[in-house]
């Protein structure tokens, strides 16, 4: 079988993969995007995006507000014993479902000339300074550059023997869209024993409810409904939200084995983007923004490498690792610390009391887990 050759092959068509594909194709780079699912598709995700990435999305030719995204400027936090604090978001953001956002970015990628194939990658090898990629349907491709944008965990993580994959990942994520009353300009984070739930409006006036919990806490109950009634509903804001709204999904979406372990931004010479490179805790509300930002970092360096402004692969990998860590390592550390503190059920209410007494700390903490608007 003859192998097709591309300048860049991107494995995974989420936010990082799609934005990178669009960026590279705009510079007349021959890109193949391999995505195992068809579009559109719902995903377990908080669906709040920091405005730090808006200049970059506009640069790519994508305006989320053309597709019904909601402008968000306010933040609310509650604890499991019903203490509450509200604040203005320093930079703000927007609410948009992955169902709509991924689909519209996919359409833009097609218009830009990106070749997209629906398939699963089963093997990636690096020989003679190029990547050899094989898919489940036995297609074979080669490329100068490979980008890993395949999400939180994948069979490729196992194949590459990445360190995080061997560690137990005790977190479970659950998401549902509902119809009901909730302010368009607010994102809320409601703490409950063992986890927290994000709430925000997306297009079509749907409300995204997405929560993460420790699997050990969840498995004590027979099903999701019982867990919600016995645990989530101890937080009156969550009880009110779930009980006074109508589900838009037949059943909630779930995802297990969510890992927040440290990952390498380069693996087997492959450039990792989005969740493949590292995940910030969902309570920080910036995973989607980080995925898009990582795609920009990778794309700019890949362009320089293919145009021979970066002379060697070693230099490319070194620069990407340095830039990725500069952009995200501090955010991730802050995110882990905040998540640890809020997992201590006895401590969360005390933290909220402190924040209410010192309200200037709230936007400061938010700023520490977000970046400045991307400069183009």
């Amino acid at each position: 079988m003859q192998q097709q050759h591309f300048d860049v092959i991107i494995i995974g068509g989420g936010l990082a993969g799609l934005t990178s594909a669009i960026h590279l194709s705009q510079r007349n780079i021959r890109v193949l995007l391999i995505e195992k699912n068809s579009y559109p598709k719902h995903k377990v995700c908080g669906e709040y995006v920091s405005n730090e990435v808006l200049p970059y999305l506009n640069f790519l030719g994508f305006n989320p507000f053309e597709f019904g995204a909601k402008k968000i400027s306010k933040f609310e936090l509650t604890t499991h014993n019903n203490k509450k604090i509200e604040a203005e978001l320093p930079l703000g953001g927007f609410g948009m479902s992955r169902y709509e956002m991924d689909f519209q970015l996919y359409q833009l990628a097609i218009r830009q000339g990106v070749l997209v194939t629906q398939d699963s990658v089963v093997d990636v090898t690096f020989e003679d300074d190029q990547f050899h990629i094989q898919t489940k349907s036995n297609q074979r491709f080669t490329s100068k550059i490979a980008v890993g944008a395949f999400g939180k965990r994948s069979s490729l993580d196992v194949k590459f023997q990445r360190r995080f994959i061997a560690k137990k990942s005790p977190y479970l994520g659950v998401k549902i869209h509902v119809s009901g009353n909730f302010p368009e300009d607010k994102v809320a984070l409601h703490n409950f024993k063992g986890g927290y739930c994000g709430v925000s409006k997306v297009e079509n006036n749907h409300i995204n409810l997405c929560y993460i919990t420790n699997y050990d806490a969840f498995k004590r109950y027979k099903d999701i409904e019982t867990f919600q009634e016995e645990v989530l509903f101890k937080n009156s804001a969550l009880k009110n939200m779930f009980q006074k709204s109508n589900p838009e999904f037949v059943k909630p979406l779930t995802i297990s084995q969510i890992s927040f372990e440290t990952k390498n931004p380069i693996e087997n010479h492959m450039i990792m983007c989005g969740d493949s490179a590292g995940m910030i805790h969902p309570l920080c509300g910036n995973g989607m923004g980080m995925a898009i930002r990582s795609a920009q970092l990778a794309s700019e360096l890949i362009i320089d490498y293919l145009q021979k402004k970066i002379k060697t692969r070693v230099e490319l990998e070194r620069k990407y690792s340095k830039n990725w860590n500069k952009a995200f390592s501090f955010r991730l550390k802050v995110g882990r610390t905040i998540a640890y503190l809020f997992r201590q059920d006895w401590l969360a209410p005390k933290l909220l009391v402190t924040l209410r007494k010192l309200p200037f700390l709230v936007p400061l903490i938010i700023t520490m887990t977000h970046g400045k608007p991307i400069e183009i």
Side-chain angles (χ1 to χ4, degrees), residues 166-223:
K167 297 183 180 180
K168 186 180 178 183
S169 304
Y171 297 104
L172 171 79
V174 180
K175 165 189 158 170
I176 189 169
H177 280 184
V178 301
S179 297
N181 293 319
F182 189 78
E184 285 192 0
D185 62 350
K186 180 188 284 187
V187 59
L189 186 67
H190 300 303
N191 185 243
F192 57 87
K193 286 193 175 183
Y196 32 84
C197 180
V199 184
S200 59
K201 272 268 183 86
V202 294
E203 75 285 347
N204 299 327
N205 273 328
H206 289 175
I207 304 163
N208 182 41
L209 304 176
C210 187
Y211 63 85
I212 186 168
T213 184
N214 189 297
Y215 185 73
D216 289 337
F218 175 80
K219 70 181 181 182
R220 298 173 196 158
Y221 302 89
K222 62 179 181 179
D223 51 37

Side-chain angles (χ1 to χ4, degrees), residues 6 44 67 105 139 171 215 241 261 273 288 294 337 369:
F6 294 84
V44 177
F67 307 102
L105 287 169
Q139 296 186 86
Y171 297 104
Y215 185 73
M241 192 72 255
E261 295 289 334
C273 285
M288 293 170 73
S294 69
T337 302
T369 60

Side-chain angles (χ1 to χ4, degrees), residues 299-363:
S299 299
E300 289 182 343
L301 290 173
I302 289 168
I303 290 165
D304 284 349
Y305 177 71
L306 294 176
Q307 292 179 347
K308 312 227 183 285
K309 293 176 184 175
I310 294 176
K311 303 297 183 184
T312 67
R313 190 178 297 275
V314 170
E315 185 185 358
L316 168 66
E317 294 176 6
R318 182 185 58 79
K319 283 192 171 184
Y320 180 68
S321 294
K322 181 181 178 182
N323 291 357
W324 193 94
N325 283 305
K326 182 180 178 181
F328 303 124
S329 60
F330 179 70
R331 299 191 207 186
L332 292 172
K333 287 176 184 175
V334 173
R336 289 189 198 103
T337 302
I338 295 170
Y340 172 77
L341 294 174
F342 272 93
R343 280 201 304 273
Q344 316 307 310
D345 294 328
W346 63 274
L347 183 58
K350 291 181 172 62
L351 289 172
L352 206 72
V353 170
T354 302
L355 292 174
R356 288 168 79 172
K357 288 180 179 177
L358 304 169
F360 69 90
L361 287 175
V362 179

Side-chain angles (χ1 to χ4, degrees), residues 8 18 95 110 182 261:
V8 180
L18 286 163
I110 295 296
F182 189 78
E261 295 289 334

